[in-house]
Amino acid sequence: MKSFKKAFDVLIATAVVAIASSCGTKQSYDYPFQNPKLSVDERVENLISLLTPEEKVGLMMNKSISVDRLGIPSYNWWSEACHGVRQDGYTVYPQPIGMAAAFNPEQMYEVFSTVSDEARANWNRSDHNIFEVPMGVTYYPGNPELTFWCPNVNIFRDPRWGRGQETCGEDPYLTGVLGLMTVKGMQGNDDKYFKTHACAKHYAVHSGPEPLRHTYNASVSMRDLWETYLPAFKKLVVEGDVQEVMCAYNRYEGVPCCASDRLLVDILRNKWNYDAIVLTDCDAINNFYTPGQHETHPDPLSATVDAVLNGTDLECGKVMMNLVEGLEKGLISEAEIDKHLRYTLKGRFELGMFDPAEMLPWAGIGEDVICSESNNALAEQAARESMVLLKNNGVLPLSKGLGSVLVVGPNADDVNLLNGNYGGTPSDNHKHSLLEGIRNALPEANVIYSKACELTDDYNTIRLLGKFNDGNGIKAEFYENNELKGEPKVAGDYNDINFSTFGAYGFADGVGTEKISVRLSGKYTADFDGPLSYYVASDNGYTLKINGKVVENSNPAARGGFGFGFGRRGGQEYKTFDVKEGQTYDIVIEYRRGNGPFAMLRADFARRKYADFAEEKALAENVDAIIVIGGISAQMEGEGGDKATIELSEVQQRLLRTMHSTGKPVVFVNCSGSCLAFASVENEYDALIQAWYPGQGGAKALADVIFGEYNPSGKLPVTFYASNDDLPDFLDYSMDNRTYKYFRGTPLYAFGYGLSYTTFEYGEAKLSRTSMKKDGKVTVSVPVANTGDMDGAEIVEVYVKALDYPEAPIKSLQGFKKVEIKAGSKANVKIELDAASFEYYDADIDELSTRPGKYQILVGSSSLDKDLQTLDFEVII
C-alpha cells in the first residue's frame, strides 16, 4: 500500500507540473519542491511525499545520503567555524575566549560576517555533491558546507575544562550577547535565505570533565540551570533565531541530553518556541547503550527511537539507520519521522541549496575573500583588542629604540600555538610566530632568542625525527586496510608525525580512512650516548619494534565517541631506551585504526636535557629587557582533555625566577585559553599580558601592544584565581563558590579586570530613575575621562546586586559598553537596563521572571567592589 501511495504521489506531482506548464509557466520542474516560487513549507511537504522511508532516515544523519532519482545530492551537515572556517587556508581569528576579552559585540558580528563570507565563497566555487567522502574524513579541505557547529555557549564554570577556550567565558550575560552576534554574523539578514547556519552547543549543563562526558550525569539545582546554564541558549534561540541546537553528550536528570524531554521538548520547543534543527553531538546516541557509558538503553534501536521521540532531529553518526527497523516493528511511525525530517529539509531549502545560484544574495562572493588582506587586518585588530594587560609596574610599553631584547619561552616561536583549539590554518603568508612579530617590530635591534624550556617538562627536547634515514625523516606507509597488507596506498618521508582525522590535519592525501593502517620506519644513527626518548600516541594502540624486536605492544584504552586522550607534546610522558654513539637503530612503529569515529597517530623521538637556564642567564647580561612567552597550548587543553591543575608549570616558574634574578625588566606573555594561576610567581615579572591563542593576527598584535603602537583595552571574561586551591571539586556542577558571581575568595585578577597605558577617571554615576515597574527600563549614565597622555578605550561595566534574595549571585553583569576616548577628553557613557536585568529563577513558573525588590546597580571598570560605584534601585510590582 505504501509503495502504491508513493507512486500515486509522484504521479500527482508530475501532473501538477504538467498543468502549470500548459498554462504558460516560463519554467517547468520535474517536481514542485524544485520550484523556488513556492513557499518553503510547500516544497518541504512535496519532497517528503516523494521519499521512501529508507530515504527519509538516510537524510537524518550528518552524512546525509544522496537521492539520485530526485536529484538530491548528499550533504555533510558537519563543519566547524569556532573562530574561522576550520580548513586549511582560511582566516584564523582569536579564540572566542580572546574575542570575549575585547567586550566588543560589533566586532564579534564583523568577524563572523567575514567567516560566513569565506564559507559562502567556498560553497560558490565547489562541487556540492560530497557523498563519496568516506566516514571519518570530517574536515577534508575543500568540502563545501553551509552549516557550522558554532558558537559554543556553554558556561566556562571551571578553568580546568579544556574546551572553555571555545566559549566566551564564565558569565551568562556576556556569553549570550557575544553568542548572539556570532549567530547574526553567520546567518545573515536576508529575508528569504540564511547565509549559513549557526549552532548553539552543547545543550545543556555541559562543561567537563572531558573524559567523563560519555558517562557523566550533571546534577544542578533549578536555580543554577535557569540562571547560569540556560540564559545564553535562550538568547540565541529567542533573539537570534539560531537554526541549529546541538544536544550534549552528558546526562541531565539521569537522562542523556539527546533524549531529554525536559530540555528538548518542554524548554526548547514549548517554552522558547524553537522551530529548527536539534542535532546530536557526534556519536552521542552510541553513549546510550555502549557498555561503560550511559547504559540507559539496551541497544541501538531503543536508543535511536527514544532520541527521536524526545526531540532529536539529526544525528552526527549513523545509528539513525536503526529507525528503518523501528518503523517495521511499529516502535515509531512514519508521521513521527516526517515531523523531524521537516526541520532538516527546511534548513536546506532556506540555505538555498536547491535553488539557482544566481537567486542567492551571496552568489557574487568569490574565493578572493578567503584569507584576504582585509580579513587579515580584522584578525589583527581582533587580536589587539583581545590582549589583556594584567600587571604593569611601568616597564610597558617598551621603547622601540631598545638596543637588544632577549625573548625566551616555549611559546615564542611556535606558529601553530596561535591557532588554538578548533582552529583552521591560515595561508602561508599569514603564518607568523610571536617571536617573528617582535623581530619585525624591532628591525634595528638585536633580538636574541632561546626556547629555554618545554611547556611543562623539566627537560628540553631536541627532536630527532629529521635525522632518521640519513636526514630524510621517518618513512610513513599508509594502507587502506587494517592489516598492513599489500602495497601502501601512499608513502612519504616526514619530520613530524601528527596524523588525525579530527581537525584540519588529516592523514595523507588520497588515503581513505574507513580502514587504515600505517607503518613508520626509519634508521637512526646515534650521535650521543645515553637515553633516547620517545612517545607514541594513537586512538587504538601500536607496536614498536627496535632492530626487529618488539619492545612495546600497547593495548588501546576503552574509548567511546571521540573522548580519547590526545598525545600532547609537553604533556605526554616520554619513554626511553639507551643508545650508543655511532650505532644505528632500525625503528618501526605499526598502527591500525580502531572502531571510533576518529583516527589519530602521533609520535616523536628526541634527546632530552635538564633545563637549568644557565645559557639564558648569560644571554640576559647585556640586553635591555626580557620577554618571556609561555603558558600552555591547545594540545594541553581542548576536546578530549582538561588541565589537571591551573598552576603555571614548575619549569616555567623556574624560568621566570631566573630571568627576574638578572635584574632586567621582565615582561611575561601568557598564552592560554583559560585561567592560569600565577600567585607563586607574581613578583617574578614586571608586566603580565594575557595573549590567549590570538589567531593569525597575534604576532603583529602582541608586538603593537608591547611597544606601544596599540593601547591595550581588553578585560578578563573569566576569573583568574590565585591558585588551584581556590577551585571546588571539578565534578560538582553547583555554581557555589564558582566564577565572580559566587566566588567568596580573593581572585588574583578579577573578571572584567584589565589595565591600560593611560588612566581613566569615573565621574559620578546617575540613574534615569530610582525605581521601575516590571516592564520598565532604566538608563545608567556615567562620565569617564581619559586623564592620561595616550588615547585609549575603556570598557564600562554595569552589575546588578539583589538585596532581597539571599540565594541570588553576589553580583551579575547586566550591561557594558566599550568607548574610545582621546587623551584629555571625556565621554558620557549610557547603558540601558530592562526587565531582563532583574530576572531570577521563579519556581512557581519554572522559569526566569523579573523579581520585585531592592537592588544595587554597580558601575565601574571591573567586577571588584573597589572599582564600582553603588546606586540604589527598586523594582516595584
Side-chain angles (χ1 to χ4, degrees):
M1 179 62 70
K2 284 184 179 179
S3 60
F4 173 80
K5 180 182 183 301
K6 197 69 61 179
F8 181 76
D9 287 339
V10 173
L11 180 63
I12 293 297
T14 305
V16 168
V17 174
I19 292 170
S21 298
S22 67
C23 294
T25 303
K26 292 182 180 180
Q27 176 69 49
S28 63
Y29 302 95
D30 293 330
Y31 305 104
F33 79 83
Q34 297 169 329
N35 186 354
K37 294 183 179 180
L38 297 179
S39 71
V40 169
D41 288 343
E42 289 175 305
R43 299 173 76 183
V44 168
E45 293 307 313
N46 172 249
L47 181 52
I48 285 178
S49 74
L50 302 174
L51 296 169
T52 67
E54 293 79 7
E55 289 167 341
K56 291 176 181 180
V57 171
L59 292 169
M60 295 176 67
M61 294 175 283
N62 74 287
K63 285 188 58 181
S64 294
I65 64 167
S66 63
V67 185
D68 296 339
R69 65 185 181 85
L70 298 177
I72 305 295
S74 174
Y75 180 68
N76 181 8
W77 287 85
W78 184 0
S79 193
E80 305 283 356
C82 179
H83 53 122
V85 175
R86 196 181 185 199
Q87 292 184 7
D88 292 335
Y90 286 72
T91 307
V92 179
Y93 293 96
Q95 272 287 3
I97 194 69
M99 288 192 282
F103 281 73
N104 190 339
E106 293 78 13
Q107 184 182 81
M108 188 70 89
Y109 175 81
E110 185 179 4
V111 163
F112 282 95
S113 292
T114 67
V115 172
S116 56
D117 281 347
E118 295 193 6
R120 272 289 172 180
N122 188 34
W123 178 264
N124 292 341
R125 72 179 179 179
S126 300
D127 176 7
H128 305 158
N129 192 352
I130 58 168
F131 60 89
E132 73 279 359
V133 175
M135 177 63 180
V137 181
T138 308
Y139 304 107
Y140 192 81
N143 279 359
E145 287 115 5
L146 294 177
T147 50
F148 295 88
W149 293 352
C150 69
N152 182 339
V153 291
N154 293 129
I155 294 302
F156 199 176
R157 68 180 178 95
D158 192 298
R160 290 166 291 198
W161 183 37
R163 297 190 70 178
Q165 60 182 288
E166 301 170 31
T167 76
C168 286
E170 68 186 32
D171 181 71
Y173 177 79
L174 178 63
T175 298
V177 169
L178 299 180
L180 179 63
M181 292 298 101
T182 302
V183 170
K184 289 186 174 182
M186 291 296 291
Q187 296 190 167
N189 56 9
D190 188 71
D191 292 336
K192 183 174 181 179
Y193 297 106
F194 286 104
K195 190 178 182 185
T196 67
H197 274 190
C199 175
K201 67 182 187 184
H202 310 81
Y203 183 68
V205 198
H206 177 87
S207 55
E210 283 292 292
L212 301 182
R213 58 188 176 166
H214 306 288
T215 63
Y216 189 68
N217 179 50
S219 178
V220 299
S221 68
M222 296 307 292
R223 181 171 301 281
D224 283 345
L225 176 72
W226 283 98
E227 294 184 5
T228 297
Y229 293 108
L230 293 186
F233 286 99
K234 181 179 180 181
K235 195 174 193 71
L236 269 58
V237 168
V238 176
E239 298 181 38
D241 194 25
V242 68
Q243 289 299 291
E244 297 180 24
V245 172
M246 177 186 286
C247 46
Y249 282 121
N250 53 277
R251 279 172 287 147
Y252 167 68
E253 298 182 319
V255 179
C257 289
C258 291
S260 171
D261 180 75
R262 180 192 288 275
L263 292 177
L264 302 184
V265 179
D266 178 46
I267 296 175
L268 188 60
R269 296 288 185 198
N270 296 340
K271 289 184 183 295
W272 297 346
N273 297 314
Y274 181 64
D275 190 34
I277 300 167
V278 172
L279 60 95
T280 76
D281 208 335
C282 290
D283 288 327
I285 297 178
N286 300 57
N287 301 155
F288 293 17
Y289 58 85
T290 301
Q293 295 179 6
H294 292 319
E295 297 187 12
T296 53
H297 295 73
D299 51 49
L301 175 59
S302 62
T304 305
V305 170
D306 204 26
V308 174
L309 291 177
N310 285 286
T312 296
D313 308 309
L314 180 70
E315 182 203 11
C316 179
K318 47 189 177 182
V319 184
M320 282 279 195
M321 292 188 293
N322 289 279
L323 288 176
V324 176
E325 181 183 354
L327 285 167
E328 294 170 350
K329 292 184 175 180
L331 300 177
I332 191 169
S333 68
E334 191 167 355
E336 186 72 27
I337 298 290
D338 291 348
K339 182 177 79 172
H340 294 277
L341 180 59
R342 282 187 183 94
Y343 293 117
T344 58
L345 294 182
K346 178 173 176 257
R348 293 183 73 170
F349 280 112
E350 291 181 338
L351 285 164
M353 291 185 184
F354 302 141
D355 293 351
E358 61 269 17
M359 291 186 63
L360 305 181
W362 310 283
I365 298 180
E367 60 183 294
D368 57 317
V369 308
I370 298 174
C371 214
S372 65
E373 290 306 314
S374 61
N375 288 358
N376 181 66
L378 178 60
E380 289 178 353
Q381 182 60 20
R384 289 185 194 97
E385 295 191 38
S386 76
M387 305 279 171
V388 186
L389 181 62
L390 293 175
K391 179 179 178 178
N392 186 21
N393 65 9
V395 303
L396 290 179
L398 295 178
S399 169
K400 297 186 79 170
L402 295 178
S404 61
V405 174
L406 174 62
V407 180
V408 298
N411 281 335
D413 199 26
D414 184 349
V415 175
N416 291 326
L417 165 89
L418 280 68
N419 297 337
N421 187 35
Y422 266 81
T425 56
S427 57
D428 288 343
N429 60 317
H430 291 140
K431 293 179 180 178
H432 308 286
S433 71
L434 300 177
L435 172 64
E436 186 179 351
I438 292 169
R439 282 183 165 152
N440 289 340
L442 298 177
E444 305 300 324
N446 181 22
V447 178
I448 306 167
Y449 164 68
S450 172
K451 184 177 180 180
C453 66
E454 302 293 336
L455 289 169
T456 63
D457 201 329
D458 279 329
Y459 290 80
N460 285 332
T461 300
I462 304 170
R463 300 181 62 205
L464 300 173
L465 281 177
K467 295 186 177 182
F468 280 44
N469 294 330
D470 297 324
N472 293 315
I474 198 165
K475 182 178 181 180
E477 298 172 296
F478 299 86
Y479 298 81
E480 288 189 326
N481 58 65
N482 286 109
E483 295 82 29
L484 293 161
K485 290 184 178 179
E487 292 296 319
K489 177 73 173 181
V490 174
D493 297 323
Y494 294 83
N495 292 329
D496 185 38
I497 303 302
N498 188 8
F499 304 124
S500 173
T501 59
F502 183 82
Y505 301 107
F507 275 73
D509 288 345
V511 180
T513 54
E514 280 281 5
K515 292 183 178 180
I516 187 171
S517 53
V518 182
R519 179 180 289 111
L520 306 176
S521 59
K523 295 183 184 295
Y524 168 67
T525 301
D527 55 2
F528 68 97
D529 290 337
L532 176 69
S533 300
Y534 71 93
Y535 84 74
V536 186
S538 80
D539 64 298
N540 193 46
Y542 57 89
T543 300
L544 171 64
K545 300 176 184 178
I546 300 175
N547 294 336
K549 180 181 179 181
V550 175
V551 297
E552 191 173 0
N553 192 6
S554 72
N555 294 316
R559 301 178 177 104
F562 53 109
F564 53 74
F566 296 114
R568 297 174 181 83
R569 293 177 185 136
Q572 177 76 25
E573 181 179 352
Y574 280 85
K575 299 177 182 179
T576 63
F577 62 89
D578 288 332
V579 297
K580 291 186 177 181
E581 185 175 1
Q583 291 193 9
T584 299
Y585 298 84
D586 191 358
I587 298 171
V588 175
I589 297 170
E590 295 179 343
Y591 156 83
R592 296 165 175 81
R593 179 178 179 161
N595 295 322
F598 304 108
M600 182 269 288
L601 175 63
R602 293 174 181 160
D604 201 15
F605 289 81
R607 183 182 181 186
R608 287 156 48 74
K609 297 180 178 179
Y610 184 75
D612 60 12
F613 307 124
E615 178 184 345
E616 287 72 29
K617 190 170 184 178
L619 290 172
E621 288 184 3
N622 298 312
V623 301
D624 299 310
I626 302 170
I627 302 172
V628 180
I629 305 179
I632 56 178
S633 77
Q635 288 192 326
M636 296 175 61
E637 56 177 349
E639 176 129 25
D642 308 303
K643 302 195 302 289
T645 177
I646 64 172
E647 301 290 341
L648 185 67
S649 66
E650 287 290 338
V651 67
Q652 291 190 60
Q653 291 186 40
R654 288 196 295 111
L655 174 61
L656 282 170
R657 292 188 181 101
T658 302
M659 294 298 95
H660 185 256
S661 71
T662 66
K664 302 299 174 69
V666 176
V667 177
F668 180 32
V669 178
N670 182 65
C671 301
S672 65
S674 55
C675 149
L676 292 188
F678 304 121
S680 59
V681 289
E682 188 184 12
N683 296 321
E684 308 296 337
Y685 48 79
D686 299 289
L688 172 62
I689 297 172
Q690 176 63 28
W692 314 103
Y693 304 130
Q696 70 185 55
K700 180 71 164 60
L702 178 63
D704 285 349
V705 168
I706 289 176
F707 298 106
E709 295 293 328
Y710 181 80
N711 189 354
S713 60
K715 304 280 183 98
L716 289 179
V718 289
T719 301
F720 268 47
Y721 301 94
S723 79
N724 213 63
D725 295 337
D726 289 335
L727 304 181
D729 182 357
F730 197 177
L731 295 177
D732 183 3
Y733 265 71
S734 165
M735 293 307 296
D736 181 49
N737 209 33
R738 290 188 183 279
T739 76
Y740 81 93
K741 295 177 69 173
Y742 303 96
F743 182 54
R744 295 182 294 274
T746 302
L748 185 61
Y749 301 111
F751 175 91
Y753 175 80
L755 300 174
S756 170
Y757 292 151
T758 191
T759 53
F760 295 101
E761 184 177 297
Y762 282 67
E764 182 182 357
K766 296 181 180 179
L767 301 177
S768 61
R769 57 201 304 176
T770 58
S771 65
M772 75 176 195
K773 293 184 178 181
K774 284 186 176 183
D775 58 352
K777 296 180 179 180
V778 59
T779 299
V780 185
S781 300
V782 60
V784 182
N786 183 340
T787 56
D789 55 7
M790 188 173 184
D791 297 348
E794 172 66 333
I795 297 164
V796 179
E797 303 162 35
V798 176
Y799 298 83
V800 169
K801 179 181 182 67
L803 301 180
D804 294 341
Y805 302 102
E807 66 274 19
I810 298 169
K811 60 175 76 78
S812 59
L813 182 72
Q814 293 298 336
F816 60 88
K817 182 169 288 187
K818 186 169 192 171
V819 288
E820 299 278 349
I821 309 176
K822 291 187 176 296
S825 297
K826 182 187 295 186
N828 191 39
V829 181
K830 295 185 178 182
I831 298 172
E832 185 177 80
L833 306 182
D834 58 17
S837 305
F838 305 92
E839 284 187 339
Y840 297 90
Y841 177 65
D842 187 339
D844 292 338
I845 62 171
D846 192 29
E847 218 333 343
L848 297 177
S849 70
T850 302
R851 306 294 294 274
K854 296 185 181 299
Y855 292 88
Q856 289 178 341
I857 295 177
L858 311 171
V859 187
S861 60
S862 86
S863 64
L864 293 171
D865 287 341
K866 71 179 185 63
D867 293 332
L868 296 167
Q869 298 181 48
T870 301
L871 304 169
D872 293 327
F873 191 70
E874 185 175 8
V875 175
I876 57 179
I877 297 176

